[in-house]
C-alpha cells in the first residue's frame, strides 16, 4: 500500500497540470466558437488562390 | 466575366429563388455557372458574389452552409469612412505589424459564413489576420495600414453580402467573455476534481470489510478533502453566492437548496474526517456541483448563442452620417459627431441617422420599423422624418432635430426596457418546491436528531448527517435544468431560438395568441389577385401598359407587373405623382396608374386603377398574400385550444381581409404600439396568458409586455431582443410545434419532480431509522439522478413531423 504514498501525490500533480492546461485553453479562447474551426478542417486548403491580377480588376 | 450576362427571360428555370440569398428571382435574372450548373441570381450583386466565390475556389461555402446568405447590397461610398483617422483612433488598436479592429456584421448566419469571411479577407493584400465568430457575428480584422486601407477588405466583405457595422458595446462584450470564461473554468475544475475525488472516495467505499489501515483511510480522506475543497468553494461559488443572496432577501430558493446540501455533505465529511467517524461524502458534494454546473452550462449555451447575436445586432447602428457643409459640399462623419441643426443627406436605401425635418421637396420613407405600415410613406418638405427609417426611391436632405437617445427609435427602445422590467414575474416551480422542501427537511432533521439523542446519543449526529446527505436533492435539482436543457436543444433544432430565460415555462401556459399582421402572417410581397377591365380594354393590354409605366420604379408594385412587360410598349414622360401614382405616355396616349381618384376620378377603394385621369379602363386588385403555412399554423393553434387575435398597425381593409381569409374573429386595425400593449394588458387582466407574435420594431414594446413573445426571424433586431423566442426561419407552423414542446416539457418536469420527491419520501424513513449504509446512499442517489435525466432526455427527441 505504501506505493500509494507516491501515486497519490503524482495524481495530484497530474490534476494540477490538467487544470492548468484547461485554464490556458479557456484564456486563449479555444471555446469561443466551436463550429467554425470544426468546419474549416473539413475543407482542403491546398488550392491556389486566384491570380491576383483578376481580383485587383474587380476592386478597381 | 461574360457569364453574368443576362440570359433570355423565359428560359426554362429550375429554381425560382436566388442561389445566393434565396430572394425571389426577377424574369431578367443574371445567371452564373457554379460547379458546372447554371444558377439564377436576384441581382448583379449576388451574381458577382457567387462568381467571386467560384473564382476564388471557395465554392465549398455553398455546400457547407446551413442557411441562405443575405442579399448583396451595392457598396456605397460610405466605406471610405472606415479609413478616417478619427474612427480608427477611437475603435482600432495597434498590434505588431499594423492595426486591429472589431466589426459587427448582420449577414453571418452559420459557421460556413465565418469560414467564407476568413478565407476571403485573408486573400486581400495587406490583411494580417482575420477571425470571424459565427456565434456573435463579430469579425476581428488586423491589417497593415501601409499596404492597404481598411475600406478595401471591407469592400470585399460587402461584395459578399456582409455589411460591416461599427461594433459597439465592446465593454459589455468583454464582460460577457470574462464571465463565460470563468464559468467554463469553474466547470472544468469541477469536472476534473469530481473525477479525482470520486476515485479516492470509491476506494473507501470498496473497503467493505474494513481491512484498510486507519492511517491509510485517513490519508485518502484528507486527499479527497484537498481535492473537493476548490470544487465546492470555487466551482460551487455561484450556488453559495446565490444562497447568500436569497437568505438576505429572506426567501428559500433553488440556490439555497443546492448550496445547503453541498455544504452539508462537505461539512459532514470534514467533521467525520476530523473525528474519525464511519463515513465521508465528499463524492456527493463534488458530483452535485459538477452535475448542476453542467446542466446550467448546457441550458445557457443554446440560449446565449441566440441572444448574443440578437443583442449585438440590436446595438448595431449605422456608423456614419453624411453632413452638408455651409458651402454645399458633403462630408461623411461619425454618427456621434452629428449635431442638432446640421443638414444631413440620406442616400436612397440608407437609414435615416437622426430625427429631423425633411428639406427635400418630396421623399419616401419606409417606416415599417416604427409604425408597422409596410408601404413607403410619402413626405413633403417640412414633414418629420425619424431615425432608423429607410429612405426609398430618391435621396433626401434633412435638418437634424433630435439625435441619439432623444430619437423616436431610442424612446421605443426605452419602452421595451420598461415593459421588460414590468413583465409579470411568475414564481418558478423549482423555487416553490425547493422552498417547501428545504423547510421540511430541516424540521425532519431536527426531529430525528433529538429522537436519536434520547435513545442512542452516540449515533445521533451520525444518523442526522446521513439523513441530510441521502436526501441531498440531486434529483430534485436536476429535474428541471435537465428537462429545460433537452427541450431548449430540441427547440434550436426546430429553428426556434430560445432567447428569454424561462420562455418555455411561460409558453406552456399560454391561452391566447396575438398576431401582428404585417410581415408576420403576410409574406410582404403584393400579388395581383384580380384584373377587371372596362370598355373594350383587353386584360393583357392593360397589364402591359401598367408594366410599361412601372418599369423603372423600384416600388414593390413594379416587381408585380414586371412579368407582363412587353418590348414593343414603352412609356415616355413618366412622372410619379406624390402619394397618388404614376402618369406617363404610352402609345401616344396619356395614362394614369394609381388610386381610384387619381386615375379614374372615382372613389378610392384601396385597389389600383388604370385610366386617363377621368375614365377607368382597368382595375387591379392587389393583395398581400398570407404566408403559405399561415392557415395551417392557425388551425394547429386552434386545435391546441388557444384563442387567436389579430392586432395590426395596418389599415382597416387589409386587416379585415386577413381576418376573413384566416378566420380570425378578433381583429383590430390601425393599432399603435401603445394600443397593442394596452390590448395585451387587458387580456392579461382577464387572467389570460398571452403570447405575442410580431416582427417589427413597433412590436417590440408589446413583445416585451406579453407573457411570452415570439419574433419572426426576418424581423427587426430590436423586436428580437425583446422576444423570448425567435423563429430563425419565417415558418409559422413552428409556433404550434414550440407550444406542444413546451407543454410536453411541463409534463416531464412534473413527472421528474414527483419522482424526486417520492425518492426522498422513501429514503428519509430508512435514513431516520439509521439503516443507511454508504452503499445504499450511493446507489440511491445515482439511480434517482439517472432516472430524471433519462426522463428529461425524452424531450431531446424531436418527433417526426415536428422535425424537418
Amino acid at each position: 500500500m505504501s506505493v500509494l504514498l507516491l501515486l497519490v501525490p503524482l495524481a495530484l500533480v497530474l490534476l494540477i497540470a490538467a487544470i492548468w492546461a484547461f485554464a490556458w485553453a479557456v484564456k486563449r479562447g479555444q471555446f469561443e466558437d466551436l463550429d467554425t474551426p470544426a468546419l474549416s478542417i473539413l475543407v482542403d486548403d491546398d488550392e491556389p488562390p486566384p491570380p491576383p491580377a483578376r481580383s485587383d480588376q474587380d476592386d478597381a | 466575366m461574360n457569364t453574368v450576362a443576362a440570359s433570355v427571360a423565359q428560359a426554362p428555370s429550375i429554381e425560382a429563388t436566388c442561389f445566393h440569398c434565396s430572394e425571389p428571382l426577377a424574369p431578367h435574372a443574371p445567371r452564373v455557372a457554379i460547379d458546372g450548373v447554371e444558377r439564377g441570381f436576384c441581382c448583379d450583386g449576388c451574381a458577382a458574389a457567387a462568381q467571386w466565390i467560384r473564382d476564388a475556389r471557395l465554392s465549398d461555402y455553398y455546400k457547407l452552409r446551413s442557411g441562405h446568405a443575405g442579399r448583396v447590397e451595392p457598396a456605397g461610398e460610405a466605406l471610405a469612412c472606415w479609413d478616417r483617422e478619427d474612427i480608427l483612433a477611437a475603435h482600432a488598436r495597434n498590434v505588431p505589424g499594423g492595426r486591429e479592429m472589431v466589426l459587427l456584421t448582420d449577414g453571418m448566419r452559420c459557421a460556413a459564413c465565418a469560414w467564407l469571411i476568413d478565407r476571403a479577407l485573408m486573400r486581400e493584400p495587406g490583411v494580417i489576420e482575420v477571425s470571424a465568430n459565427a456565434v456573435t457575428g463579430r469579425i476581428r480584422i488586423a491589417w497593415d495600414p501601409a499596404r492597404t486601407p481598411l475600406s478595401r477588405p471591407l469592400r470585399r466583405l460587402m461584395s459578399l453580402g456582409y455589411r460591416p457595422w461599427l461594433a459597439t458595446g465592446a465593454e459589455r462584450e468583454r464582460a460577457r467573455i470574462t464571465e463565460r470564461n470563468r464559468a467554463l473554468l469553474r466547470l472544468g475544475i469541477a469536472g476534473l476534481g469530481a473525477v479525482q475525488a470520486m476515485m479516492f472516495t470509491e476506494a473507501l467505499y470498496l473497503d467493505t470489510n474494513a481491512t484498510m489501515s486507519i492511517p491509510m483511510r485517513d490519508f485518502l480522506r484528507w486527499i479527497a478533502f484537498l481535492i473537493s475543497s476548490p470544487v465546492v468553494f470555487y466551482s460551487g461559488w455561484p450556488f453559495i453566492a446565490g444562497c447568500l443572496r436569497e437568505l438576505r432577501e429572506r426567501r428559500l430558493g433553488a440556490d439555497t437548496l443546492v448550496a445547503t446540501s453541498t455544504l452539508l455533505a462537505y461539512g459532514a465529511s470534514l467533521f467525520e474526517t476530523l473525528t474519525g467517524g464511519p463515513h465521508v461524502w465528499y463524492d456527493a458534494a463534488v458530483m452535485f456541483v459538477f452535475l448542476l454546473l453542467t446542466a446550467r452550462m448546457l441550458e445557457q449555451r443554446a440560449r446565449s448563442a441566440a441572444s448574443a447575436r440578437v443583442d449585438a445586432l440590436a446595438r448595431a447602428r449605422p456608423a456614419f452620417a453624411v453632413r452638408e457643409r455651409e458651402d454645399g459640399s458633403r462630408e461623411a462623419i461619425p454618427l456621434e459627431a452629428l449635431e442638432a441643426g446640421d443638414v444631413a443627406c440620406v442616400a436612397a436605401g440608407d437609414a435615416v441617422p437622426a430625427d429631423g425635418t425633411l428639406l427635400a421637396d418630396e421623399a419616401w420613407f419606409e417606416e415599417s420599423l416604427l409604425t408597422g405600415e409596410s408601404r413607403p410613406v410619402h413626405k413633403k418638405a417640412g414633414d418629420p422624418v425619424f431615425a432608423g427609417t429607410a429612405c426609398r426611391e430618391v435621396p433626401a436632405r434633412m435638418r437634424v432635430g433630435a439625435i441619439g437617445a432623444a430619437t423616436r427609435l431610442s424612446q421605443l427602445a426605452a419602452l421595451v426596457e420598461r415593459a421588460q422590467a414590468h413583465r409579470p414575474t411568475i414564481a418558478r416551480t423549482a423555487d416553490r418546491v425547493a422552498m417547501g422542501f428545504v423547510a421540511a427537511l430541516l424540521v425532519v432533521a431536527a426531529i430525528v436528531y433529538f429522537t436519536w439523542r434520547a435513545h442512542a446519543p452516540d449515533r445521533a449526529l451520525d444518523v442526522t448527517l446521513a439523513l441530510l446527505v441521502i436526501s441531498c436533492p440531486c434529483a430534485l435539482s436536476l429535474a428541471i435544468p435537465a428537462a429545460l436543457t433537452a427541450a431548449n436543444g430540441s427547440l434550436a433544432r426546430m429553428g426556434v431560438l430560445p432567447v428569454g430565460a424561462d420562455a418555455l415555462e411561460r409558453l406552456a401556459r399560454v391561452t391566447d395568441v396575438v398576431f401582428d399582421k404585417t410581415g408576420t402572417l403576410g409574406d410582404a410581397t403584393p400579388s395581383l389577385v384580380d384584373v377587371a377591365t372596362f370598355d373594350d380594354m383587353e386584360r393583357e393590354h392593360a397589364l402591359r401598359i401598367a408594366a410599361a409605366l412601372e418599369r423603372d420604379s423600384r416600388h414593390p408594385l413594379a416587381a408585380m407587373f414586371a412579368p407582363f412587360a412587353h418590348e414593343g410598349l414603352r412609356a415616355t414622360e413618366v412622372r410619379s405623382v406624390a402619394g397618388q401614382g404614376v402618369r406617363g405616355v404610352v402609345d401616344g396616349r396619356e395614362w394614369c396608374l394609381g388610386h381610384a381618384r387619381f386615375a379614374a376620378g372615382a372613389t378610392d377603394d384601396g385597389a389600383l386603377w388604370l385610366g386617363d385621369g377621368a375614365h377607368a379602363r382597368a382595375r387591379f386588385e392587389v393583395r398581400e398574400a398570407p404566408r403559405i403555412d399561415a392557415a395551417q399554423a392557425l388551425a394547429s393553434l386552434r386545435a391546441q385550444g388557444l384563442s387567436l387575435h389579430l392586432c395590426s398597425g395596418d389599415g382597416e381593409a387589409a386587416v379585415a381581409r386577413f381576418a376573413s381569409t384566416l378566420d380570425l374573429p378578433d381583429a383590430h386595425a390601425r393599432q399603435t404600439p401603445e394600443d397593442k400593449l394596452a390590448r395585451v394588458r387587458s387580456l392579461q387582466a382577464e387572467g389570460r396568458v398571452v403570447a405575442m407574435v410580431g416582427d417589427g420594431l413597433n412590436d417590440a414594446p408589446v413583445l416585451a409586455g406579453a407573457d411570452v413573445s415570439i419574433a419572426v426571424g426576418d424581423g427587426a433586431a430590436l423586436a428580437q431582443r425583446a422576444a423570448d423566442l425567435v423563429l430563425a426561419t419565417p415558418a409559422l407552423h413552428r409556433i404550434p410545434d414550440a407550444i406542444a414542446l413546451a407543454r410536453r416539457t411541463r409534463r416531464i418536469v412534473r413527472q421528474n419532480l414527483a419522482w424526486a420527491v417520492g425518492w426522498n419520501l422513501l429514503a428519509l424513513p430508512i435514513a431516520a431509522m439509521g439503516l443507511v449504509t454508504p452503499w445504499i446512499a450511493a446507489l440511491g442517489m445515482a439511480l434517482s439522478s439517472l432516472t430524471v435525466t433519462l426522463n428529461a432526455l425524452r424531450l431531446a427527441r424531436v418527433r417526426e413531423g415536428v422535425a424537418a
Side-chain angles (χ1 to χ4, degrees), chain B residues 78-372:
Chain B
L79 279 179
C81 304
W82 291 93
D83 298 330
R84 290 170 56 101
E85 192 47 44
D86 49 352
I87 292 284
L88 292 179
H91 293 96
R93 64 190 187 93
N94 291 323
V95 290
R99 302 180 110 167
E100 187 187 80
M101 191 159 170
V102 179
L103 318 167
L104 267 179
T105 183
D106 51 355
M108 222 191 307
R109 295 175 191 189
C110 63
C113 292
W115 175 84
L116 178 68
I117 290 173
D118 272 4
R119 300 297 151 103
L121 292 190
M122 275 312 281
R123 292 190 185 169
E124 292 294 309
V127 173
I128 304 166
E129 204 192 332
V130 178
S131 77
N133 188 328
V135 179
T136 56
R138 277 162 194 262
I139 304 169
R140 198 164 49 81
I141 179 169
W143 78 104
D144 180 359
R147 292 177 57 204
T148 179
L150 180 59
S151 58
R152 201 165 136 168
L154 292 191
R155 193 169 297 270
R156 167 64 57 221
L157 190 68
M158 192 121 176
S159 73
L160 292 175
Y162 304 101
R163 208 176 160 148
W165 303 90
L166 212 51
T168 50
E171 196 90 346
R172 238 170 100 181
E173 178 68 9
R174 251 198 311 281
R176 191 190 64 83
I177 289 178
T178 316
E179 185 56 38
R180 217 262 333 264
N181 281 353
R182 198 177 295 139
L184 267 175
L185 204 57
R186 286 192 211 279
L187 181 67
I189 288 178
L192 290 165
V195 172
Q196 289 286 313
M198 292 263 280
M199 203 167 82
F200 296 116
T201 44
E202 281 313 310
L204 294 169
Y205 280 154
L206 291 175
D207 178 35
T208 43
N209 304 327
T211 49
M212 195 185 282
S213 69
I214 297 293
M216 179 53 74
R217 189 197 69 178
D218 283 347
F219 173 65
L220 290 181
R221 283 182 175 188
W222 279 111
I223 294 289
F225 164 76
L226 204 66
I227 296 170
S228 51
S229 297
V231 175
V232 169
F233 290 104
Y234 179 71
S235 299
W237 183 249
F239 303 115
I240 298 175
C243 167
L244 291 177
R245 197 171 50 240
E246 281 168 8
L247 288 181
R248 263 203 306 277
E249 293 166 11
R250 286 169 202 280
R251 62 191 176 95
L252 296 168
D255 278 339
T256 308
L257 183 65
V258 174
T260 43
S261 22
T262 312
L263 287 177
L264 272 174
Y266 176 82
S269 304
L270 180 59
F271 179 80
E272 298 276 287
T273 308
L274 286 170
T275 56
H279 307 308
V280 289
W281 296 281
Y282 289 117
D283 58 327
V286 291
M287 279 312 284
F288 198 33
V289 170
F290 175 58
L291 287 177
L292 281 168
L293 278 180
T294 313
R296 260 190 198 189
M297 190 75 161
L298 287 174
E299 187 197 338
Q300 275 169 4
R301 239 194 79 179
R303 226 171 46 220
S304 65
S307 58
R309 207 171 55 181
V310 166
D311 208 38
L313 271 179
R315 278 177 282 118
R317 296 263 188 282
F320 310 102
V322 179
R323 181 167 65 186
E324 197 174 272
R325 292 202 197 91
E326 297 284 325
D327 58 3
S329 64
R330 292 176 176 191
E331 58 175 346
I333 53 165
L335 194 58
E336 300 91 57
L338 199 66
E339 284 170 20
D342 285 349
V343 174
C345 305
V346 190
D350 273 6
V352 177
D355 284 2
T357 49
L358 190 65
L359 294 176
D361 285 342
E362 57 176 5
W364 285 263
F365 293 92
E366 194 176 290
E367 298 192 326
S368 62
L369 283 181
L370 292 173
T371 60

Side-chain angles (χ1 to χ4, degrees), chain B residues 25-116:
Chain B
L25 283 189
H28 293 279
R31 306 184 74 80
V32 175
I34 304 285
D35 283 343
V37 185
E38 183 127 307
R39 308 283 191 181
F41 293 89
C42 63
C43 57
D44 288 337
C46 282
Q51 196 178 25
W52 187 85
I53 291 171
R54 181 198 64 189
D55 292 344
R57 308 204 181 176
L58 294 172
S59 317
D60 280 335
Y61 163 71
Y62 290 112
K63 291 181 205 135
L64 296 170
R65 68 180 180 178
S66 54
H68 279 281
R71 188 187 170 119
V72 178
E73 306 279 346
E77 287 163 26
L79 279 179
C81 304
W82 291 93
D83 298 330
R84 290 170 56 101
E85 192 47 44
D86 49 352
I87 292 284
L88 292 179
H91 293 96
R93 64 190 187 93
N94 291 323
V95 290
R99 302 180 110 167
E100 187 187 80
M101 191 159 170
V102 179
L103 318 167
L104 267 179
T105 183
D106 51 355
M108 222 191 307
R109 295 175 191 189
C110 63
C113 292
W115 175 84
L116 178 68

